[in-house]
């Protein structure tokens, strides 16, 4: 049968269109299976940042170009004196926009515990966070992560944390910023304790950031003296979650996280109805920071569609 050049091109075009359509459908199908978005927590690169091999300003471009991640979570330790520096923040915002990166979160440390028993100390801690709420708003972030630390009994710290978080939450609500608490040691790593605090605060913009690996309540030299079950803790914190922290340390030869069963823990997250952002936070030492981030991303992309 004879085909004219026009017939050939028409047929080739249909074939190419079909191939393109199939590629698009496969990509769409994969996207549907990934029921959460992936972000990169800056702490995953803390060794390089502390060693001055990177700066906070480098972070958005690196996340996108090196790891293919377009959502980022900053750590205030790496620009702690810049919260009110609009020139610096404008530069950071431009770099994120230039690289197609969404600023999602700032993790706040070193500004005081919101569960301190002394009212004056606690109120100072609340006020210390105001500038970070404003910085988050300027950068287009949705959330700041805070600490509910304090010294006292669990009951005393809980009462104080309800007060501190409520005050900060009310301030942050004026700018549309969420305030979330990570299980970050001490009382906060007790899932029942932190979920109880959330119930008492009862504000829409105050929630949790379940970290899959931070369930050590009491530390000792070289390890953990008392820990909370990570699966139970995650289940208790998920009803209040406005994000999750996909913590990893070491991997086996199959690419699975040794410390956490990701199939089990992601099923808990999915069963809660969560469809937000999971932040990669690699803290291992056997792999480099770059390789650990890539291994964690691969793990999430492989496991998530199966649960």
């Amino acid at each position: 049968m004879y085909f004219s050049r026009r017939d050939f091109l028409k047929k080739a075009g249909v074939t190419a269109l079909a191939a393109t359509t199939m590629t698009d459908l496969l990509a769409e199908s994969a996207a549907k299976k990934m029921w959460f978005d992936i972000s990169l927590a800056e702490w995953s690169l803390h060794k390089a940042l502390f060693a001055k091999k990177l700066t906070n300003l480098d972070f958005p471009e690196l996340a996108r170009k090196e790891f293919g991640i377009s959502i980022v979570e900053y750590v205030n330790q790496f620009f702690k004196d810049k919260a009110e520096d609009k020139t610096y923040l404008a530069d950071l915002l431009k770099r994120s926009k230039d690289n197609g990166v969404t600023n999602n979160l700032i993790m706040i440390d070193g500004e005081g515990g919101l569960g301190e028993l002394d009212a004056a100390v606690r109120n100072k801690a609340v006020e210390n966070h105001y500038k970070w709420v404003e910085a988050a708003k300027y950068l287009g972030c949705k959330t700041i992560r805070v600490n509910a630390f304090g010294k006292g009994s669990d009951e005393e710290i809980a009462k104080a944390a309800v007060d501190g978080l409520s005050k900060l939450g009310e301030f942050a609500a004026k700018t549309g910023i969420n305030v979330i608490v990570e299980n970050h040691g001490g009382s906060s790593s007790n899932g029942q304790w932190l979920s109880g605090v959330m119930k008492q605060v009862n504000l829409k913009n105050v929630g949790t950031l379940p970290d899959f690996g931070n369930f050590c309540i009491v530390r000792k030299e070289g390890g953990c003296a008392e820990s909370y079950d990570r699966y139970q803790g995650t289940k208790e914190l998920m009803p209040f979650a406005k994000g999750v922290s996909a913590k990893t340390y070491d991997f086996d030869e199959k690419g699975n996280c040794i410390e956490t069963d990701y199939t089990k823990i992601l099923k808990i997250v999915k069963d809660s109805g969560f469809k937000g952002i999971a932040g990669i936070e690699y803290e291992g030492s056997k792999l480099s920071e770059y390789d650990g981030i890539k291994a964690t991303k691969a793990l999430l992309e492989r496991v998530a569609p199966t649960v």
Side-chain angles (χ1 to χ4, degrees):
M1 182 180 292
Y2 171 77
F3 283 99
S4 68
R5 182 173 183 274
R6 178 178 296 179
D7 291 333
F8 174 78
L9 291 174
K10 183 177 180 181
K11 185 176 181 181
V14 170
T15 302
L17 177 61
T20 301
T21 302
M22 180 59 69
T23 300
D24 290 342
L25 287 172
L26 289 171
E28 183 179 349
S29 176
K32 286 181 179 178
K33 290 180 180 178
M34 284 297 293
W35 39 272
F36 55 83
D37 293 318
I38 293 176
S39 64
L40 179 60
E42 191 172 21
W43 189 253
S44 298
L45 296 159
H46 69 276
K47 294 175 184 176
L49 285 154
F50 281 131
K52 308 298 183 184
K53 295 178 181 178
L54 297 171
T55 72
N56 185 63
L57 291 172
D58 298 325
F59 181 47
E61 181 177 5
L62 182 68
R64 187 58 184 260
K65 293 184 177 179
E66 180 69 28
F67 307 110
I69 297 174
S70 59
I71 306 173
V72 296
E73 303 176 5
Y74 297 100
V75 175
N76 77 326
Q77 294 182 53
F78 303 118
F79 61 122
K80 59 185 177 182
D81 59 340
K82 305 295 186 182
E84 298 173 294
D85 186 337
K86 288 296 170 52
T87 300
Y88 180 91
L89 295 178
D91 189 5
L92 183 57
L93 181 59
K94 183 178 186 302
R95 290 177 187 230
S96 61
K97 288 182 175 179
D98 286 350
N99 288 282
V101 169
T102 298
N103 298 325
N104 178 58
L105 169 68
I106 306 177
M107 297 187 179
I108 313 301
D109 297 304
E111 297 291 2
L114 298 175
E116 292 287 358
L117 271 55
D118 186 304
V121 175
R122 182 172 66 252
N123 288 335
K124 176 62 176 173
V126 171
E127 293 171 4
N128 287 345
H129 285 79
Y130 288 174
K131 61 182 177 291
W132 290 108
V133 171
E134 300 291 353
K137 181 67 175 180
Y138 185 91
L139 290 171
C141 295
K142 295 181 179 179
T143 306
I144 63 168
R145 188 275 281 146
V146 302
N147 293 299
F149 294 152
K151 294 180 181 178
S153 68
D154 285 351
E155 293 76 16
E156 290 171 328
I157 300 171
K159 183 178 179 180
V162 169
D163 177 70
L165 288 167
S166 296
K167 288 176 178 175
L168 182 56
E170 288 167 2
F171 175 85
K174 298 173 185 177
T175 55
I177 297 295
N178 296 316
V179 175
I180 59 176
V181 183
E182 180 183 350
N183 45 306
H184 209 199
S187 302
S188 71
S189 286
N190 181 315
Q192 186 175 23
W193 182 92
L194 186 51
S195 62
V197 168
M198 289 298 114
K199 290 174 185 176
Q200 292 181 71
V201 173
N202 194 29
L203 291 176
K204 290 183 179 180
N205 70 316
V206 177
T208 60
L209 178 67
D211 183 305
F212 299 162
N214 277 0
F215 285 100
C216 181
I217 297 173
V218 179
R219 292 198 174 277
K220 64 179 180 180
E221 186 175 351
C224 183
E226 180 186 351
S227 62
Y228 197 82
D229 183 271
R230 69 188 64 203
Y231 306 104
Q232 179 64 26
T234 299
K235 185 175 182 179
E236 290 166 341
L237 297 179
M238 283 311 303
F240 313 96
K242 296 183 182 298
V244 296
S245 186
K247 177 69 62 62
T248 54
Y249 292 95
D250 294 321
F251 297 84
D252 63 21
E253 66 280 358
K254 294 182 179 179
N256 293 313
C257 178
I258 293 174
E259 298 80 18
T260 303
D261 181 337
Y262 262 70
T263 298
K264 183 175 181 178
I265 208 156
L266 286 181
K267 186 176 188 309
I268 292 170
V269 173
K270 187 177 184 180
D271 287 349
S272 75
F274 179 82
K275 294 184 179 181
I277 297 172
I280 291 173
E281 193 170 52
Y282 172 68
E283 285 193 30
S285 57
K286 292 183 179 179
L287 294 178
S288 70
E289 290 184 319
Y290 281 36
D291 288 343
I293 291 168
K294 292 174 182 177
T296 307
K297 184 171 183 276
L299 175 64
L300 290 171
E301 292 174 335
R302 174 169 56 83
V303 174
T306 70
V307 300

